[in-house]
């Protein structure tokens, strides 16, 4: 989720941030991803070991917890009073981390879309809340958002897909909100299909409760497919976060719909602008900053397909303006970002090899408050059954903290 910052606008700080489109690397920062393999030695900022031989309490790549704590400890989410910081769901002034594609629990399979006797196939969305401590993130201050507990049921059943897609303070209350992409049940073609995008609102205790379906006005639709690929930004320059979504139909091309904020707690935008024809279905916030031409309006990048991890990507700019995004801004190129060496394979029970480890960038953002971008990477092993999430603060080649997304399954 890429935060926006505007210094040339008199009205002050902004509260907008964006995750790219779905999938862990594309979903968060399109164009800033990199795939690699590594046989690096364990990165060990604590001196106590990471991964294999990490000491008591370490499991699946977790850095050893602080003295007196175990790796599975769960601490309360600090109560916040609201902030203007991007991705701050509990409003305590510290940026939070969103994680999709959690490791597969032992004995489970996601190959057929559903498992466990019809239970939702998606394990859910992991939230690690920010902290004032030296590591900036504390895996003990975490919450798991699941389809059964937090999704809006569609035709009586929870969705099988439940993935974070974008983040910004959509209702303007000082607590960042989460846009969630879901699947929709089979459609019989007799009416408009159910909304595939849901909103879960932040609060002084973080993200909680049940998501509501995002209301997308008719002018943002095209055909029967529900709009998707949401991106946050202040596209019309009124200091209220908006959403851009894409819609497509066979033979009719692609369009970008503009949903003006603020949004109501029922999921409705203040209004919607006219949809604009574009050359592709995939949207992203510009990697170089949301307002590429410094005119006071956030911009978009349109891709024919989502960029592949580790490669450059060619897209086109769609510039913001008083009526939202709509002016052609020319070509736009994203470049891969070199990543630190991958942490070594963590200790875990025997499991299928699943090929070489793959490292991808999850986020580049300021987690420790020094106004410099930090990196969060995820390395997966054994076909996604084991992983290591690592936070590298600016200027460091070794992570300040590592943990596995399996902590959400404990």
């Amino acid at each position: 989720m890429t935060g926006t910052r505007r210094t040339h606008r008199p009205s002050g700080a902004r509260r907008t941030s964006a995750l790219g489109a779905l999938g862990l690397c594309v979903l968060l920062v399109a164009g800033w991803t990199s795939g690699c393999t590594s046989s690096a030695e364990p990165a060990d900022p604590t001196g106590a070991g990471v991964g294999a031989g990490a000491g008591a309490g370490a499991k699946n790549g977790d850095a050893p917890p602080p003295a007196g704590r175990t790796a599975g400890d769960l601490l309360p989410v600090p109560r916040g009073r609201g902030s203007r910081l991007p991705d701050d769901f509990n409003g305590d002034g510290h940026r939070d981390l969103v994680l999709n594609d959690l490791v597969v629990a032992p004995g489970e399979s996601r190959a057929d879309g559903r498992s466990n006797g019809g239970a939702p196939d998606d394990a859910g969305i992991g939230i690690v809340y920010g902290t004032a401590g030296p590591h900036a993130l504390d895996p003990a201050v975490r919450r798991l958002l699941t389809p059964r507990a937090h999704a809006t049921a569609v035709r009586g059943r929870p969705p099988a897909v439940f993935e974070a897609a974008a983040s910004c303070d959509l209702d303007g209350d000082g607590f960042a909100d989460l846009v969630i992409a879901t699947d929709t049940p089979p459609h019989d073609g007799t009416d408009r299909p159910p909304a595939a995008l849901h909103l879960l609102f932040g609060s002084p205790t973080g993200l909680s409760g049940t998501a509501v379906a995002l209301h997308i006005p008719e002018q943002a639709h095209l055909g029967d497919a529900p709009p998707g690929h949401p991106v946050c930004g202040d596209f019309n320059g009124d200091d209220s976060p908006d959403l851009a979504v894409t819609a497509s139909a066979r033979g009719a091309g692609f369009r970008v719909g503009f949903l003006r904020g603020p949004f109501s707690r029922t999921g409705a935008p203040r209004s919607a602008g006219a949809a604009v024809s574009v050359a592709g279905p995939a949207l992203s916030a510009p990697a170089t900053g949301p307002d590429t031409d410094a005119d006071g309006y956030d911009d978009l990048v349109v891709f024919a397909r989502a960029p592949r991890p580790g490669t450059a990507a060619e897209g086109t700019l769609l510039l913001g303006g008083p009526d939202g995004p709509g002016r052609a801004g020319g070509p736009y190129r994203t470049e891969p970002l070199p990543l630190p060496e991958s942490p070594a394979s963590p200790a875990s029970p025997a499991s299928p090899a699943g090929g070489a480890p793959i490292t991808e960038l999850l986020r580049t953002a300021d987690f420790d408050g020094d106004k410099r971008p930090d990196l969060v990477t995820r390395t997966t092993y054994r076909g996604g059954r084991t992983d290591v999430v690592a936070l590298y603060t600016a200027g460091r080649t070794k992570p300040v903290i590592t943990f596995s997304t399996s902590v959400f399954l404990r």
Side-chain angles (χ1 to χ4, degrees):
M1 293 173 284
T2 306
T4 65
R5 181 177 67 252
R6 190 66 46 78
T7 58
H8 60 278
R9 182 175 296 159
S11 50
R14 304 280 308 288
R15 293 180 241 183
T16 311
S17 60
L19 280 158
L22 303 177
L24 211 49
C25 52
V26 174
L27 145 75
L28 294 165
V29 274
W32 289 349
T33 56
S34 178
C36 62
T37 61
S38 172
S39 58
E41 291 302 311
D44 185 12
T46 66
V50 176
K59 179 181 178 183
N60 279 354
D62 300 350
R69 298 224 324 247
T70 66
D73 279 352
L74 184 63
L75 300 181
V77 175
R79 189 175 183 87
R81 300 177 64 181
S83 82
R84 292 178 179 268
L85 191 70
D87 310 334
D88 185 4
F89 302 114
N90 60 328
D92 68 345
H94 303 291
R95 188 189 297 264
D96 308 319
L97 177 65
V98 181
L99 297 164
N100 286 320
D101 298 333
L102 308 181
V103 295
V104 181
E108 289 189 356
S109 172
R110 299 179 189 170
D112 60 358
R114 287 195 171 261
S115 57
N116 296 331
D121 181 64
D122 201 314
I125 302 165
I127 308 294
V128 178
Y129 285 89
T131 174
H135 295 156
L137 294 169
D138 186 350
V141 187
R142 67 184 186 275
R143 293 296 182 269
L144 178 63
L145 309 175
T146 67
R148 285 214 179 275
H150 300 94
T152 298
V154 178
R155 295 175 183 165
R157 33 185 258 196
V161 175
F162 196 65
E163 294 187 334
S167 167
C168 48
D169 185 6
L170 291 170
D171 59 353
D173 64 353
F175 304 94
D177 311 310
L178 194 63
V179 185
I180 298 170
T182 72
D183 63 333
T184 58
H187 185 238
D188 59 12
T190 60
D191 55 9
R192 177 67 70 194
L197 298 176
H198 297 173
L199 305 180
L200 191 61
F201 291 95
S203 74
T205 55
L207 295 165
S208 61
T210 302
V212 299
L214 173 63
H215 174 68
I216 300 179
E218 188 64 30
Q219 57 263 46
H221 285 270
L222 183 64
D224 288 335
H229 295 270
V231 173
C232 288
D234 182 8
F235 304 115
N236 63 345
D238 65 354
D239 278 326
S240 180
D242 313 308
L243 280 178
V245 296
T246 59
S248 63
R250 185 180 298 273
F254 308 99
R255 295 196 308 196
V256 170
F258 168 50
L259 311 182
R260 294 187 181 95
F263 289 68
S264 73
R265 283 297 184 112
T266 61
R270 179 165 61 92
S271 61
V276 177
S277 296
V278 291
L283 292 181
S284 172
T288 52
D291 184 3
T292 59
D293 54 359
D295 64 351
Y297 307 100
D298 288 349
D299 307 318
L300 287 167
V301 184
V302 180
F303 295 99
R305 60 184 61 83
R308 291 182 300 162
T311 64
E314 302 283 350
T316 57
L317 272 172
L318 191 63
L319 300 177
D323 297 320
R327 296 179 293 126
Y332 188 91
R333 182 180 175 88
T334 60
E335 301 287 352
L337 181 67
L339 299 182
E341 288 188 325
S342 306
S345 178
S348 66
S351 56
I358 298 175
T359 294
E360 57 194 354
L361 180 69
L362 301 188
R363 285 292 281 118
T364 177
D366 178 16
F367 284 93
D368 60 2
D370 66 356
K371 303 190 184 306
R372 297 186 297 167
D374 310 312
L375 300 180
V376 180
T377 67
R378 180 185 187 226
T379 302
T380 55
Y381 306 88
R382 302 179 180 90
R385 294 184 179 274
T386 308
D387 69 355
V388 176
V389 176
L391 169 64
Y392 299 82
T393 53
R396 294 184 63 117
T397 59
K398 292 186 177 181
V400 297
I401 189 171
T402 63
F403 64 93
S404 170
T405 62
S406 64
V407 71
F408 290 97
L409 308 179
R410 296 172 185 168

